[in-house]
């Protein structure tokens, strides 16, 4: 196995920026994918707010309750696009081309990760902007918004790292998109859209102990200006998921790029 030299490592940042621009151009050229990724969270927010929201009692405005859940939903949609894009590079000859270039090998996966982060955060910002026009009025100040944005960004990095690993493991782009379906499903079995106390006992036990619940509870508390008691658990979950994602992606990338 070849170990990257210190000289090659110095090119990590500029090479990653090149790969980021490449991934961003691919996304911008895929208009249908971009439109779906940006509008689907908004449509889901409208669905839950105006169709289901009237039947769900959360002790206040349902729009204020559901917006943090929509943020996590954006992460799942973004992960699917990233996984598909990574698998496309791995299965359609791009990896063979990059192996012939004098570039830092891990810059390719880092480029996909950074592009996925920017794209998903942009989708979240657009969804929150639409929510504000609909009457979303959280009670937090700038520090609360900053803390919520930092936690969401950490969660996006963690989930996107998993998506990169899944994209490398999938046999084709269609399978990569299917593998990330579970990521999109996770927020539904959490406190993102309904309080977990309304769930059956066996399901509540699962919902309270899976990663999306402490993350969405913490984001909601930060934006509402209340005590974020579950913040340590949320950060630990994000770090653990990121560590697993980065480790699996590194192993898969090494196997694919050095074979």
């Amino acid at each position: 196995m070849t170990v990257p030299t210190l000289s090659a490592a110095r090119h990590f940042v500029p090479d990653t920026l090149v790969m980021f621009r490449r991934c961003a151009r691919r996304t911008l050229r895929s208009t249908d994918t971009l439109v779906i990724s940006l509008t689907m969270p908004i449509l889901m927010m409208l669905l839950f707010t105006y169709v289901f929201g009237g039947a769900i009692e959360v002790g206040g405005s349902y729009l204020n309750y559901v917006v943090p859940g929509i943020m996590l939903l954006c992460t799942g949609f973004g992960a699917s696009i990233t996984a598909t894009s990574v698998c496309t590079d791995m299965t359609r000859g791009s990896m063979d081309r990059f192996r012939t270039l004098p570039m830092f090998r891990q810059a390719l996966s880092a480029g996909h990760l950074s592009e996925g982060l920017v794209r998903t955060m942009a989708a979240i910002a657009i969804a929150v902007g639409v929510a504000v026009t609909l009457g979303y009025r959280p009670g937090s100040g700038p520090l609360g918004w900053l803390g919520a944005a930092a936690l969401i960004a950490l969660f996006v990095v963690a989930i996107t790292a998993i998506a990169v690993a899944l994209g490398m493991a999938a046999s084709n782009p269609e399978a990569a998109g299917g593998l990330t379906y579970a990521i999109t499903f996770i927020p539904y079995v959490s406190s993102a859209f309904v309080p977990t106390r309304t769930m059956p006992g066996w399901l509540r036990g699962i919902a309270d102990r899976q990663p999306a619940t402490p993350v969405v509870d913490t984001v909601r508390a930060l934006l509402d200006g209340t005590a974020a008691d579950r913040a340590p658990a949320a950060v630990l979950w994000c770090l653990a998921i990121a560590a697993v994602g980065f480790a699996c992606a590194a192993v898969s990338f090494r196997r694919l790029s050095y074979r």
Side-chain angles (χ1 to χ4, degrees), residues 55-72:
I56 301 175
E57 178 58 46
V58 295
S61 168
Y62 185 72
L63 180 62
N64 281 18
Y65 183 89
V66 80
V67 167
I70 296 299
M71 295 180 182
L72 266 65

Side-chain angles (χ1 to χ4, degrees), residues 7-220:
S7 176
R10 285 199 298 266
H11 296 285
F12 175 70
V13 173
D15 289 349
T16 297
L17 290 176
V18 171
M19 292 296 105
F20 168 81
R21 290 195 295 268
R22 171 183 175 272
C23 294
R25 284 196 298 268
R26 173 189 288 177
T27 299
L28 292 174
R29 289 170 181 170
S30 180
T31 307
D32 51 349
T33 301
L34 183 62
V35 169
I36 290 174
S37 66
L38 296 179
T39 60
M40 187 59 69
I42 298 173
L43 295 176
M44 294 298 296
M45 180 171 61
L46 295 175
L47 173 66
F48 275 95
T49 301
Y50 294 111
V51 178
F52 303 135
I56 301 175
E57 178 58 46
V58 295
S61 168
Y62 185 72
L63 180 62
N64 281 18
Y65 183 89
V66 80
V67 167
I70 296 299
M71 295 180 182
L72 266 65
L73 207 59
C74 290
T75 304
F77 290 136
S80 178
I81 297 173
T82 298
T84 302
S85 181
V86 170
C87 189
T88 299
D89 279 343
M90 295 297 164
T91 58
R92 297 185 180 177
S94 296
M95 175 57 68
D96 294 334
R97 177 181 299 177
F98 292 136
R99 280 191 298 183
T100 66
L101 299 177
M103 60 175 287
F104 194 77
R105 292 180 182 273
Q106 283 72 22
L108 177 60
S109 54
H112 280 290
L113 178 65
S114 56
E115 189 273 336
L117 171 63
V118 172
R119 172 172 30 81
T120 303
M121 293 302 290
I124 291 172
I126 293 172
V128 172
V130 173
V132 170
T133 65
L134 295 176
Y136 178 55
R137 299 293 185 270
S140 179
L143 289 179
W145 279 94
L146 184 61
L151 180 58
I152 284 293
L154 181 60
F155 185 74
V156 171
V157 169
I159 297 301
T160 306
I162 293 291
V164 170
L166 291 175
M168 292 180 180
S171 58
N172 56 70
E174 292 76 15
L179 288 173
T180 56
Y181 177 78
I183 298 176
T184 306
F185 184 74
I186 286 174
Y188 292 104
V189 190
S190 72
S191 61
F193 301 106
V194 296
T196 58
R197 66 175 182 273
T198 65
M199 300 178 182
W202 63 270
L203 185 58
R204 180 179 181 179
I206 297 173
D208 285 338
R209 292 169 176 80
Q210 60 115 322
T213 294
V215 172
V216 75
D217 284 349
T218 301
V219 171
R220 188 177 290 123

